Amino acid sequence: MSNRTESYLVGLVGDGVMPSLTPPMHEREGDVQGLRYLYRPIDLLELGLSGDAVGDLLKSARSLGFNGLNITHPCKQLVLAHLDEVSPDARRLGAVNTVVIEDGRFIGHNTDFSGFAAALASGLPGARLDRVVQLGAGGAGSAVAYALLTAGVKALDLVDVDPARCAARAAELAGFFPGSTVTARTTAELTQLMPLADGLVHCTPVGMAAHPGVPLDLDLLESRHWVADIVYRPIDTELVRGARAKGCEVLDGGRMAVGQAADSFRIFTGLEANADRMRSHFLELVAKEEVAA
């Protein structure tokens, strides 16, 4: 929003969003910038609602004076039918995670891809991008792959347990980025792919607290590789720790989470967020969670 307002009321719509770190990140940044900024989770599970309720929730938010909503699973695709305008990148991705309410209209954006792009630029400056292997071609993986290709990756090898999904995603991305090569691969091909790759990006649930483990044989990593993970609970996943031990440059999942939040903050307020400050706060929040656990 280009116009400054005296206060901001923002929400997060999705399943199981009560523990999200996004609200406190936004509110702290608002405080530091001298704004009255209130960010509330709107948890579909607690409300007993399905993802199909997102259209009604948007209208309710508009009636109640919200400035915008972040949108997460399972509503990122469902919300598209209820928007008045969608950014070109979000339209290409077929997913929206940020809706600004401006002059009564709903305008959709995707800061998953821009958040990862910002994370890559700030966290791995100068990383070689000739050839990259990406594990996972689901929703988050689509946004990350789009960001990688936008950043200039020349050859992207997409690896997913669902061959049909992987092939469809690769073909779609190849159409958007005709100057790059995007290929659907299988996990069995990793032993051939990793020696050719500059970096590895991980976009599956493996490594989350509820899904411990590593997504590939760590012996495939070499010190010359850079490794990016989008899992941030825990911040130091087994993949991140293993890659560091091999001497790899590493991008933890917190950087994408912060990049996404900083971009959403700018869209809601028209003001630039300080991503370094937001990352410091994010790491404080994660550390408190880990102590509590």
mmCIF file with all atom_site columns, all heavy atoms in Angstrom, residues 8-13 20 22-24 26-27 37-42 66 68-71 97 260 264 268:
data_model
loop_
_atom_site.group_PDB
_atom_site.id
_atom_site.type_symbol
_atom_site.label_atom_id
_atom_site.label_alt_id
_atom_site.label_comp_id
_atom_site.label_asym_id
_atom_site.label_entity_id
_atom_site.label_seq_id
_atom_site.pdbx_PDB_ins_code
_atom_site.Cartn_x
_atom_site.Cartn_y
_atom_site.Cartn_z
_atom_site.occupancy
_atom_site.B_iso_or_equiv
_atom_site.pdbx_formal_charge
_atom_site.auth_seq_id
_atom_site.auth_comp_id
_atom_site.auth_asym_id
_atom_site.auth_atom_id
_atom_site.pdbx_PDB_model_num
ATOM 1   N N   . TYR A 1 8   ? -2.266 -0.484  11.638 1.00 0.00 ? 8   TYR A N   1
ATOM 2   C CA  . TYR A 1 8   ? -2.364 -1.624  10.724 1.00 0.00 ? 8   TYR A CA  1
ATOM 3   C C   . TYR A 1 8   ? -2.925 -2.820  11.473 1.00 0.00 ? 8   TYR A C   1
ATOM 4   O O   . TYR A 1 8   ? -2.486 -3.136  12.579 1.00 0.00 ? 8   TYR A O   1
ATOM 5   C CB  . TYR A 1 8   ? -0.990 -1.983  10.146 1.00 0.00 ? 8   TYR A CB  1
ATOM 6   C CG  . TYR A 1 8   ? -0.419 -0.884  9.288  1.00 0.00 ? 8   TYR A CG  1
ATOM 7   C CD1 . TYR A 1 8   ? 0.334  0.138   9.857  1.00 0.00 ? 8   TYR A CD1 1
ATOM 8   C CD2 . TYR A 1 8   ? -0.678 -0.831  7.914  1.00 0.00 ? 8   TYR A CD2 1
ATOM 9   C CE1 . TYR A 1 8   ? 0.828  1.179   9.080  1.00 0.00 ? 8   TYR A CE1 1
ATOM 10  C CE2 . TYR A 1 8   ? -0.184 0.199   7.140  1.00 0.00 ? 8   TYR A CE2 1
ATOM 11  C CZ  . TYR A 1 8   ? 0.566  1.201   7.724  1.00 0.00 ? 8   TYR A CZ  1
ATOM 12  O OH  . TYR A 1 8   ? 1.042  2.240   6.957  1.00 0.00 ? 8   TYR A OH  1
ATOM 13  N N   . LEU A 1 9   ? -3.904 -3.476  10.845 1.00 0.00 ? 9   LEU A N   1
ATOM 14  C CA  . LEU A 1 9   ? -4.488 -4.699  11.376 1.00 0.00 ? 9   LEU A CA  1
ATOM 15  C C   . LEU A 1 9   ? -4.320 -5.770  10.297 1.00 0.00 ? 9   LEU A C   1
ATOM 16  O O   . LEU A 1 9   ? -4.829 -5.629  9.180  1.00 0.00 ? 9   LEU A O   1
ATOM 17  C CB  . LEU A 1 9   ? -5.965 -4.489  11.707 1.00 0.00 ? 9   LEU A CB  1
ATOM 18  C CG  . LEU A 1 9   ? -6.738 -5.699  12.238 1.00 0.00 ? 9   LEU A CG  1
ATOM 19  C CD1 . LEU A 1 9   ? -6.112 -6.244  13.522 1.00 0.00 ? 9   LEU A CD1 1
ATOM 20  C CD2 . LEU A 1 9   ? -8.210 -5.332  12.472 1.00 0.00 ? 9   LEU A CD2 1
ATOM 21  N N   . VAL A 1 10  ? -3.573 -6.815  10.634 1.00 0.00 ? 10  VAL A N   1
ATOM 22  C CA  . VAL A 1 10  ? -3.192 -7.846  9.665  1.00 0.00 ? 10  VAL A CA  1
ATOM 23  C C   . VAL A 1 10  ? -3.493 -9.213  10.277 1.00 0.00 ? 10  VAL A C   1
ATOM 24  O O   . VAL A 1 10  ? -3.515 -9.366  11.505 1.00 0.00 ? 10  VAL A O   1
ATOM 25  C CB  . VAL A 1 10  ? -1.684 -7.708  9.335  1.00 0.00 ? 10  VAL A CB  1
ATOM 26  C CG1 . VAL A 1 10  ? -1.233 -8.794  8.364  1.00 0.00 ? 10  VAL A CG1 1
ATOM 27  C CG2 . VAL A 1 10  ? -1.385 -6.337  8.756  1.00 0.00 ? 10  VAL A CG2 1
ATOM 28  N N   . GLY A 1 11  ? -3.732 -10.218 9.439  1.00 0.00 ? 11  GLY A N   1
ATOM 29  C CA  . GLY A 1 11  ? -4.001 -11.566 9.938  1.00 0.00 ? 11  GLY A CA  1
ATOM 30  C C   . GLY A 1 11  ? -3.290 -12.629 9.137  1.00 0.00 ? 11  GLY A C   1
ATOM 31  O O   . GLY A 1 11  ? -2.781 -12.368 8.043  1.00 0.00 ? 11  GLY A O   1
ATOM 32  N N   . LEU A 1 12  ? -3.263 -13.836 9.687  1.00 0.00 ? 12  LEU A N   1
ATOM 33  C CA  . LEU A 1 12  ? -2.691 -15.010 9.018  1.00 0.00 ? 12  LEU A CA  1
ATOM 34  C C   . LEU A 1 12  ? -3.744 -16.099 9.003  1.00 0.00 ? 12  LEU A C   1
ATOM 35  O O   . LEU A 1 12  ? -4.189 -16.563 10.063 1.00 0.00 ? 12  LEU A O   1
ATOM 36  C CB  . LEU A 1 12  ? -1.440 -15.495 9.764  1.00 0.00 ? 12  LEU A CB  1
ATOM 37  C CG  . LEU A 1 12  ? -0.843 -16.831 9.306  1.00 0.00 ? 12  LEU A CG  1
ATOM 38  C CD1 . LEU A 1 12  ? -0.366 -16.754 7.857  1.00 0.00 ? 12  LEU A CD1 1
ATOM 39  C CD2 . LEU A 1 12  ? 0.303  -17.246 10.226 1.00 0.00 ? 12  LEU A CD2 1
ATOM 40  N N   . VAL A 1 13  ? -4.161 -16.520 7.801  1.00 0.00 ? 13  VAL A N   1
ATOM 41  C CA  . VAL A 1 13  ? -5.208 -17.533 7.636  1.00 0.00 ? 13  VAL A CA  1
ATOM 42  C C   . VAL A 1 13  ? -4.585 -18.856 7.227  1.00 0.00 ? 13  VAL A C   1
ATOM 43  O O   . VAL A 1 13  ? -3.807 -18.918 6.267  1.00 0.00 ? 13  VAL A O   1
ATOM 44  C CB  . VAL A 1 13  ? -6.228 -17.092 6.565  1.00 0.00 ? 13  VAL A CB  1
ATOM 45  C CG1 . VAL A 1 13  ? -7.250 -18.209 6.311  1.00 0.00 ? 13  VAL A CG1 1
ATOM 46  C CG2 . VAL A 1 13  ? -6.932 -15.813 6.988  1.00 0.00 ? 13  VAL A CG2 1
ATOM 47  N N   . SER A 1 20  ? 2.665  -19.871 14.814 1.00 0.00 ? 20  SER A N   1
ATOM 48  C CA  . SER A 1 20  ? 3.488  -19.212 13.808 1.00 0.00 ? 20  SER A CA  1
ATOM 49  C C   . SER A 1 20  ? 4.332  -18.088 14.402 1.00 0.00 ? 20  SER A C   1
ATOM 50  O O   . SER A 1 20  ? 3.876  -17.334 15.277 1.00 0.00 ? 20  SER A O   1
ATOM 51  C CB  . SER A 1 20  ? 2.603  -18.645 12.697 1.00 0.00 ? 20  SER A CB  1
ATOM 52  O OG  . SER A 1 20  ? 3.370  -17.855 11.805 1.00 0.00 ? 20  SER A OG  1
ATOM 53  N N   . THR A 1 22  ? 5.419  -15.678 12.473 1.00 0.00 ? 22  THR A N   1
ATOM 54  C CA  . THR A 1 22  ? 5.207  -14.512 11.614 1.00 0.00 ? 22  THR A CA  1
ATOM 55  C C   . THR A 1 22  ? 4.550  -13.342 12.365 1.00 0.00 ? 22  THR A C   1
ATOM 56  O O   . THR A 1 22  ? 5.007  -12.201 12.243 1.00 0.00 ? 22  THR A O   1
ATOM 57  C CB  . THR A 1 22  ? 4.380  -14.904 10.378 1.00 0.00 ? 22  THR A CB  1
ATOM 58  O OG1 . THR A 1 22  ? 5.072  -15.930 9.668  1.00 0.00 ? 22  THR A OG1 1
ATOM 59  C CG2 . THR A 1 22  ? 4.170  -13.720 9.457  1.00 0.00 ? 22  THR A CG2 1
ATOM 60  N N   . PRO A 1 23  ? 3.482  -13.578 13.157 1.00 0.00 ? 23  PRO A N   1
ATOM 61  C CA  . PRO A 1 23  ? 2.880  -12.436 13.862 1.00 0.00 ? 23  PRO A CA  1
ATOM 62  C C   . PRO A 1 23  ? 3.859  -11.669 14.751 1.00 0.00 ? 23  PRO A C   1
ATOM 63  O O   . PRO A 1 23  ? 3.953  -10.433 14.630 1.00 0.00 ? 23  PRO A O   1
ATOM 64  C CB  . PRO A 1 23  ? 1.736  -13.087 14.662 1.00 0.00 ? 23  PRO A CB  1
ATOM 65  C CG  . PRO A 1 23  ? 1.354  -14.279 13.847 1.00 0.00 ? 23  PRO A CG  1
ATOM 66  C CD  . PRO A 1 23  ? 2.659  -14.805 13.309 1.00 0.00 ? 23  PRO A CD  1
ATOM 67  N N   . PRO A 1 24  ? 4.623  -12.344 15.639 1.00 0.00 ? 24  PRO A N   1
ATOM 68  C CA  . PRO A 1 24  ? 5.540  -11.558 16.468 1.00 0.00 ? 24  PRO A CA  1
ATOM 69  C C   . PRO A 1 24  ? 6.633  -10.858 15.662 1.00 0.00 ? 24  PRO A C   1
ATOM 70  O O   . PRO A 1 24  ? 7.064  -9.755  16.026 1.00 0.00 ? 24  PRO A O   1
ATOM 71  C CB  . PRO A 1 24  ? 6.147  -12.585 17.438 1.00 0.00 ? 24  PRO A CB  1
ATOM 72  C CG  . PRO A 1 24  ? 5.854  -13.926 16.861 1.00 0.00 ? 24  PRO A CG  1
ATOM 73  C CD  . PRO A 1 24  ? 4.599  -13.769 16.070 1.00 0.00 ? 24  PRO A CD  1
ATOM 74  N N   . HIS A 1 26  ? 6.311  -9.534  12.609 1.00 0.00 ? 26  HIS A N   1
ATOM 75  C CA  . HIS A 1 26  ? 5.686  -8.334  12.045 1.00 0.00 ? 26  HIS A CA  1
ATOM 76  C C   . HIS A 1 26  ? 5.456  -7.277  13.134 1.00 0.00 ? 26  HIS A C   1
ATOM 77  O O   . HIS A 1 26  ? 5.737  -6.093  12.923 1.00 0.00 ? 26  HIS A O   1
ATOM 78  C CB  . HIS A 1 26  ? 4.342  -8.697  11.409 1.00 0.00 ? 26  HIS A CB  1
ATOM 79  C CG  . HIS A 1 26  ? 4.448  -9.193  9.997  1.00 0.00 ? 26  HIS A CG  1
ATOM 80  N ND1 . HIS A 1 26  ? 4.017  -8.478  8.918  1.00 0.00 ? 26  HIS A ND1 1
ATOM 81  C CD2 . HIS A 1 26  ? 4.934  -10.356 9.491  1.00 0.00 ? 26  HIS A CD2 1
ATOM 82  C CE1 . HIS A 1 26  ? 4.217  -9.156  7.803  1.00 0.00 ? 26  HIS A CE1 1
ATOM 83  N NE2 . HIS A 1 26  ? 4.770  -10.317 8.132  1.00 0.00 ? 26  HIS A NE2 1
ATOM 84  N N   . GLU A 1 27  ? 4.931  -7.715  14.268 1.00 0.00 ? 27  GLU A N   1
ATOM 85  C CA  . GLU A 1 27  ? 4.597  -6.747  15.320 1.00 0.00 ? 27  GLU A CA  1
ATOM 86  C C   . GLU A 1 27  ? 5.845  -6.062  15.862 1.00 0.00 ? 27  GLU A C   1
ATOM 87  O O   . GLU A 1 27  ? 5.834  -4.848  16.113 1.00 0.00 ? 27  GLU A O   1
ATOM 88  C CB  . GLU A 1 27  ? 3.814  -7.435  16.442 1.00 0.00 ? 27  GLU A CB  1
ATOM 89  C CG  . GLU A 1 27  ? 2.407  -7.824  16.020 1.00 0.00 ? 27  GLU A CG  1
ATOM 90  C CD  . GLU A 1 27  ? 1.542  -8.336  17.167 1.00 0.00 ? 27  GLU A CD  1
ATOM 91  O OE1 . GLU A 1 27  ? 2.092  -8.726  18.224 1.00 0.00 ? 27  GLU A OE1 1
ATOM 92  O OE2 . GLU A 1 27  ? 0.312  -8.323  17.013 1.00 0.00 ? 27  GLU A OE2 1
ATOM 93  N N   . TYR A 1 37  ? 0.719  -1.651  15.041 1.00 0.00 ? 37  TYR A N   1
ATOM 94  C CA  . TYR A 1 37  ? 0.665  -2.780  14.113 1.00 0.00 ? 37  TYR A CA  1
ATOM 95  C C   . TYR A 1 37  ? 0.241  -4.016  14.889 1.00 0.00 ? 37  TYR A C   1
ATOM 96  O O   . TYR A 1 37  ? 0.948  -4.480  15.773 1.00 0.00 ? 37  TYR A O   1
ATOM 97  C CB  . TYR A 1 37  ? 2.069  -2.986  13.506 1.00 0.00 ? 37  TYR A CB  1
ATOM 98  C CG  . TYR A 1 37  ? 2.127  -3.860  12.268 1.00 0.00 ? 37  TYR A CG  1
ATOM 99  C CD1 . TYR A 1 37  ? 2.350  -3.301  11.009 1.00 0.00 ? 37  TYR A CD1 1
ATOM 100 C CD2 . TYR A 1 37  ? 1.998  -5.242  12.356 1.00 0.00 ? 37  TYR A CD2 1
ATOM 101 C CE1 . TYR A 1 37  ? 2.434  -4.098  9.875  1.00 0.00 ? 37  TYR A CE1 1
ATOM 102 C CE2 . TYR A 1 37  ? 2.067  -6.042  11.231 1.00 0.00 ? 37  TYR A CE2 1
ATOM 103 C CZ  . TYR A 1 37  ? 2.290  -5.466  9.986  1.00 0.00 ? 37  TYR A CZ  1
ATOM 104 O OH  . TYR A 1 37  ? 2.360  -6.264  8.876  1.00 0.00 ? 37  TYR A OH  1
ATOM 105 N N   . LEU A 1 38  ? -0.933 -4.529  14.557 1.00 0.00 ? 38  LEU A N   1
ATOM 106 C CA  . LEU A 1 38  ? -1.471 -5.696  15.246 1.00 0.00 ? 38  LEU A CA  1
ATOM 107 C C   . LEU A 1 38  ? -1.652 -6.825  14.238 1.00 0.00 ? 38  LEU A C   1
ATOM 108 O O   . LEU A 1 38  ? -2.255 -6.627  13.177 1.00 0.00 ? 38  LEU A O   1
ATOM 109 C CB  . LEU A 1 38  ? -2.827 -5.350  15.876 1.00 0.00 ? 38  LEU A CB  1
ATOM 110 C CG  . LEU A 1 38  ? -3.419 -6.352  16.854 1.00 0.00 ? 38  LEU A CG  1
ATOM 111 C CD1 . LEU A 1 38  ? -2.529 -6.503  18.082 1.00 0.00 ? 38  LEU A CD1 1
ATOM 112 C CD2 . LEU A 1 38  ? -4.813 -5.891  17.282 1.00 0.00 ? 38  LEU A CD2 1
ATOM 113 N N   . TYR A 1 39  ? -1.107 -7.994  14.570 1.00 0.00 ? 39  TYR A N   1
ATOM 114 C CA  . TYR A 1 39  ? -1.130 -9.125  13.640 1.00 0.00 ? 39  TYR A CA  1
ATOM 115 C C   . TYR A 1 39  ? -1.715 -10.327 14.376 1.00 0.00 ? 39  TYR A C   1
ATOM 116 O O   . TYR A 1 39  ? -1.175 -10.767 15.374 1.00 0.00 ? 39  TYR A O   1
ATOM 117 C CB  . TYR A 1 39  ? 0.303  -9.417  13.180 1.00 0.00 ? 39  TYR A CB  1
ATOM 118 C CG  . TYR A 1 39  ? 0.425  -10.393 12.026 1.00 0.00 ? 39  TYR A CG  1
ATOM 119 C CD1 . TYR A 1 39  ? 1.095  -10.033 10.858 1.00 0.00 ? 39  TYR A CD1 1
ATOM 120 C CD2 . TYR A 1 39  ? -0.104 -11.679 12.105 1.00 0.00 ? 39  TYR A CD2 1
ATOM 121 C CE1 . TYR A 1 39  ? 1.236  -10.938 9.806  1.00 0.00 ? 39  TYR A CE1 1
ATOM 122 C CE2 . TYR A 1 39  ? 0.028  -12.574 11.055 1.00 0.00 ? 39  TYR A CE2 1
ATOM 123 C CZ  . TYR A 1 39  ? 0.694  -12.185 9.910  1.00 0.00 ? 39  TYR A CZ  1
ATOM 124 O OH  . TYR A 1 39  ? 0.815  -13.080 8.868  1.00 0.00 ? 39  TYR A OH  1
ATOM 125 N N   . ARG A 1 40  ? -2.810 -10.858 13.853 1.00 0.00 ? 40  ARG A N   1
ATOM 126 C CA  . ARG A 1 40  ? -3.531 -11.931 14.532 1.00 0.00 ? 40  ARG A CA  1
ATOM 127 C C   . ARG A 1 40  ? -3.621 -13.206 13.696 1.00 0.00 ? 40  ARG A C   1
ATOM 128 O O   . ARG A 1 40  ? -3.977 -13.170 12.523 1.00 0.00 ? 40  ARG A O   1
ATOM 129 C CB  . ARG A 1 40  ? -4.960 -11.466 14.869 1.00 0.00 ? 40  ARG A CB  1
ATOM 130 C CG  . ARG A 1 40  ? -5.014 -10.498 16.034 1.00 0.00 ? 40  ARG A CG  1
ATOM 131 C CD  . ARG A 1 40  ? -4.702 -11.243 17.321 1.00 0.00 ? 40  ARG A CD  1
ATOM 132 N NE  . ARG A 1 40  ? -4.615 -10.385 18.475 1.00 0.00 ? 40  ARG A NE  1
ATOM 133 C CZ  . ARG A 1 40  ? -3.488 -9.964  19.025 1.00 0.00 ? 40  ARG A CZ  1
ATOM 134 N NH1 . ARG A 1 40  ? -2.326 -10.282 18.482 1.00 0.00 ? 40  ARG A NH1 1
ATOM 135 N NH2 . ARG A 1 40  ? -3.498 -9.215  20.113 1.00 0.00 ? 40  ARG A NH2 1
ATOM 136 N N   . PRO A 1 41  ? -3.288 -14.377 14.283 1.00 0.00 ? 41  PRO A N   1
ATOM 137 C CA  . PRO A 1 41  ? -3.514 -15.646 13.580 1.00 0.00 ? 41  PRO A CA  1
ATOM 138 C C   . PRO A 1 41  ? -5.004 -15.971 13.517 1.00 0.00 ? 41  PRO A C   1
ATOM 139 O O   . PRO A 1 41  ? -5.740 -15.754 14.491 1.00 0.00 ? 41  PRO A O   1
ATOM 140 C CB  . PRO A 1 41  ? -2.762 -16.664 14.440 1.00 0.00 ? 41  PRO A CB  1
ATOM 141 C CG  . PRO A 1 41  ? -2.648 -16.048 15.793 1.00 0.00 ? 41  PRO A CG  1
ATOM 142 C CD  . PRO A 1 41  ? -2.682 -14.556 15.609 1.00 0.00 ? 41  PRO A CD  1
ATOM 143 N N   . ILE A 1 42  ? -5.445 -16.463 12.372 1.00 0.00 ? 42  ILE A N   1
ATOM 144 C CA  . ILE A 1 42  ? -6.837 -16.883 12.163 1.00 0.00 ? 42  ILE A CA  1
ATOM 145 C C   . ILE A 1 42  ? -6.764 -18.357 11.782 1.00 0.00 ? 42  ILE A C   1
ATOM 146 O O   . ILE A 1 42  ? -6.559 -18.716 10.618 1.00 0.00 ? 42  ILE A O   1
ATOM 147 C CB  . ILE A 1 42  ? -7.509 -16.033 11.063 1.00 0.00 ? 42  ILE A CB  1
ATOM 148 C CG1 . ILE A 1 42  ? -7.482 -14.542 11.445 1.00 0.00 ? 42  ILE A CG1 1
ATOM 149 C CG2 . ILE A 1 42  ? -8.941 -16.494 10.818 1.00 0.00 ? 42  ILE A CG2 1
ATOM 150 C CD1 . ILE A 1 42  ? -7.805 -13.602 10.295 1.00 0.00 ? 42  ILE A CD1 1
ATOM 151 N N   . PHE A 1 66  ? -9.406 -4.768  8.267  1.00 0.00 ? 66  PHE A N   1
ATOM 152 C CA  . PHE A 1 66  ? -8.053 -5.305  8.118  1.00 0.00 ? 66  PHE A CA  1
ATOM 153 C C   . PHE A 1 66  ? -7.362 -4.658  6.917  1.00 0.00 ? 66  PHE A C   1
ATOM 154 O O   . PHE A 1 66  ? -7.997 -4.345  5.904  1.00 0.00 ? 66  PHE A O   1
ATOM 155 C CB  . PHE A 1 66  ? -8.104 -6.827  7.892  1.00 0.00 ? 66  PHE A CB  1
ATOM 156 C CG  . PHE A 1 66  ? -8.196 -7.647  9.143  1.00 0.00 ? 66  PHE A CG  1
ATOM 157 C CD1 . PHE A 1 66  ? -9.350 -7.640  9.925  1.00 0.00 ? 66  PHE A CD1 1
ATOM 158 C CD2 . PHE A 1 66  ? -7.134 -8.452  9.537  1.00 0.00 ? 66  PHE A CD2 1
ATOM 159 C CE1 . PHE A 1 66  ? -9.440 -8.408  11.076 1.00 0.00 ? 66  PHE A CE1 1
ATOM 160 C CE2 . PHE A 1 66  ? -7.212 -9.228  10.682 1.00 0.00 ? 66  PHE A CE2 1
ATOM 161 C CZ  . PHE A 1 66  ? -8.360 -9.203  11.462 1.00 0.00 ? 66  PHE A CZ  1
ATOM 162 N N   . GLY A 1 68  ? -4.756 -6.306  5.495  1.00 0.00 ? 68  GLY A N   1
ATOM 163 C CA  . GLY A 1 68  ? -4.341 -7.414  4.653  1.00 0.00 ? 68  GLY A CA  1
ATOM 164 C C   . GLY A 1 68  ? -4.250 -8.706  5.430  1.00 0.00 ? 68  GLY A C   1
ATOM 165 O O   . GLY A 1 68  ? -4.382 -8.727  6.658  1.00 0.00 ? 68  GLY A O   1
ATOM 166 N N   . LEU A 1 69  ? -4.042 -9.789  4.691  1.00 0.00 ? 69  LEU A N   1
ATOM 167 C CA  . LEU A 1 69  ? -3.920 -11.111 5.288  1.00 0.00 ? 69  LEU A CA  1
ATOM 168 C C   . LEU A 1 69  ? -2.763 -11.863 4.632  1.00 0.00 ? 69  LEU A C   1
ATOM 169 O O   . LEU A 1 69  ? -2.580 -11.786 3.414  1.00 0.00 ? 69  LEU A O   1
ATOM 170 C CB  . LEU A 1 69  ? -5.191 -11.936 5.069  1.00 0.00 ? 69  LEU A CB  1
ATOM 171 C CG  . LEU A 1 69  ? -6.499 -11.443 5.693  1.00 0.00 ? 69  LEU A CG  1
ATOM 172 C CD1 . LEU A 1 69  ? -7.667 -12.305 5.204  1.00 0.00 ? 69  LEU A CD1 1
ATOM 173 C CD2 . LEU A 1 69  ? -6.426 -11.466 7.210  1.00 0.00 ? 69  LEU A CD2 1
ATOM 174 N N   . ASN A 1 70  ? -1.998 -12.572 5.434  1.00 0.00 ? 70  ASN A N   1
ATOM 175 C CA  . ASN A 1 70  ? -1.120 -13.609 4.901  1.00 0.00 ? 70  ASN A CA  1
ATOM 176 C C   . ASN A 1 70  ? -1.951 -14.887 4.814  1.00 0.00 ? 70  ASN A C   1
ATOM 177 O O   . ASN A 1 70  ? -2.838 -15.134 5.638  1.00 0.00 ? 70  ASN A O   1
ATOM 178 C CB  . ASN A 1 70  ? 0.104  -13.826 5.781  1.00 0.00 ? 70  ASN A CB  1
ATOM 179 C CG  . ASN A 1 70  ? 1.204  -12.812 5.521  1.00 0.00 ? 70  ASN A CG  1
ATOM 180 O OD1 . ASN A 1 70  ? 1.760  -12.243 6.443  1.00 0.00 ? 70  ASN A OD1 1
ATOM 181 N ND2 . ASN A 1 70  ? 1.531  -12.579 4.262  1.00 0.00 ? 70  ASN A ND2 1
ATOM 182 N N   . ILE A 1 71  ? -1.642 -15.688 3.810  1.00 0.00 ? 71  ILE A N   1
ATOM 183 C CA  . ILE A 1 71  ? -2.420 -16.898 3.516  1.00 0.00 ? 71  ILE A CA  1
ATOM 184 C C   . ILE A 1 71  ? -1.462 -18.079 3.475  1.00 0.00 ? 71  ILE A C   1
ATOM 185 O O   . ILE A 1 71  ? -0.445 -18.033 2.768  1.00 0.00 ? 71  ILE A O   1
ATOM 186 C CB  . ILE A 1 71  ? -3.122 -16.777 2.139  1.00 0.00 ? 71  ILE A CB  1
ATOM 187 C CG1 . ILE A 1 71  ? -3.943 -15.477 2.040  1.00 0.00 ? 71  ILE A CG1 1
ATOM 188 C CG2 . ILE A 1 71  ? -3.971 -18.006 1.865  1.00 0.00 ? 71  ILE A CG2 1
ATOM 189 C CD1 . ILE A 1 71  ? -5.163 -15.425 2.912  1.00 0.00 ? 71  ILE A CD1 1
ATOM 190 N N   . ASN A 1 97  ? 0.205  -15.895 -1.144 1.00 0.00 ? 97  ASN A N   1
ATOM 191 C CA  . ASN A 1 97  ? 0.350  -15.996 0.311  1.00 0.00 ? 97  ASN A CA  1
ATOM 192 C C   . ASN A 1 97  ? 0.224  -14.643 1.008  1.00 0.00 ? 97  ASN A C   1
ATOM 193 O O   . ASN A 1 97  ? 0.346  -14.566 2.221  1.00 0.00 ? 97  ASN A O   1
ATOM 194 C CB  . ASN A 1 97  ? 1.692  -16.648 0.681  1.00 0.00 ? 97  ASN A CB  1
ATOM 195 C CG  . ASN A 1 97  ? 2.857  -15.696 0.512  1.00 0.00 ? 97  ASN A CG  1
ATOM 196 O OD1 . ASN A 1 97  ? 2.837  -14.816 -0.334 1.00 0.00 ? 97  ASN A OD1 1
ATOM 197 N ND2 . ASN A 1 97  ? 3.888  -15.877 1.324  1.00 0.00 ? 97  ASN A ND2 1
ATOM 198 N N   . GLN A 1 260 ? 10.358 -13.721 3.480  1.00 0.00 ? 260 GLN A N   1
ATOM 199 C CA  . GLN A 1 260 ? 8.921  -13.720 3.181  1.00 0.00 ? 260 GLN A CA  1
ATOM 200 C C   . GLN A 1 260 ? 8.190  -12.707 4.054  1.00 0.00 ? 260 GLN A C   1
ATOM 201 O O   . GLN A 1 260 ? 7.346  -11.946 3.584  1.00 0.00 ? 260 GLN A O   1
ATOM 202 C CB  . GLN A 1 260 ? 8.369  -15.137 3.410  1.00 0.00 ? 260 GLN A CB  1
ATOM 203 C CG  . GLN A 1 260 ? 6.914  -15.309 3.107  1.00 0.00 ? 260 GLN A CG  1
ATOM 204 C CD  . GLN A 1 260 ? 6.005  -15.119 4.327  1.00 0.00 ? 260 GLN A CD  1
ATOM 205 O OE1 . GLN A 1 260 ? 6.481  -14.924 5.430  1.00 0.00 ? 260 GLN A OE1 1
ATOM 206 N NE2 . GLN A 1 260 ? 4.726  -15.152 4.090  1.00 0.00 ? 260 GLN A NE2 1
ATOM 207 N N   . SER A 1 264 ? 6.222  -9.201  2.919  1.00 0.00 ? 264 SER A N   1
ATOM 208 C CA  . SER A 1 264 ? 4.813  -8.994  3.265  1.00 0.00 ? 264 SER A CA  1
ATOM 209 C C   . SER A 1 264 ? 4.630  -7.694  4.039  1.00 0.00 ? 264 SER A C   1
ATOM 210 O O   . SER A 1 264 ? 3.669  -6.951  3.805  1.00 0.00 ? 264 SER A O   1
ATOM 211 C CB  . SER A 1 264 ? 4.284  -10.170 4.095  1.00 0.00 ? 264 SER A CB  1
ATOM 212 O OG  . SER A 1 264 ? 4.227  -11.349 3.333  1.00 0.00 ? 264 SER A OG  1
ATOM 213 N N   . PHE A 1 268 ? 2.129  -4.661  2.972  1.00 0.00 ? 268 PHE A N   1
ATOM 214 C CA  . PHE A 1 268 ? 1.052  -4.184  3.835  1.00 0.00 ? 268 PHE A CA  1
ATOM 215 C C   . PHE A 1 268 ? 1.194  -2.703  4.189  1.00 0.00 ? 268 PHE A C   1
ATOM 216 O O   . PHE A 1 268 ? 0.197  -1.990  4.309  1.00 0.00 ? 268 PHE A O   1
ATOM 217 C CB  . PHE A 1 268 ? 1.010  -4.988  5.141  1.00 0.00 ? 268 PHE A CB  1
ATOM 218 C CG  . PHE A 1 268 ? 0.566  -6.426  4.977  1.00 0.00 ? 268 PHE A CG  1
ATOM 219 C CD1 . PHE A 1 268 ? 1.149  -7.433  5.742  1.00 0.00 ? 268 PHE A CD1 1
ATOM 220 C CD2 . PHE A 1 268 ? -0.434 -6.776  4.082  1.00 0.00 ? 268 PHE A CD2 1
ATOM 221 C CE1 . PHE A 1 268 ? 0.743  -8.756  5.613  1.00 0.00 ? 268 PHE A CE1 1
ATOM 222 C CE2 . PHE A 1 268 ? -0.843 -8.099  3.944  1.00 0.00 ? 268 PHE A CE2 1
ATOM 223 C CZ  . PHE A 1 268 ? -0.248 -9.093  4.704  1.00 0.00 ? 268 PHE A CZ  1
#
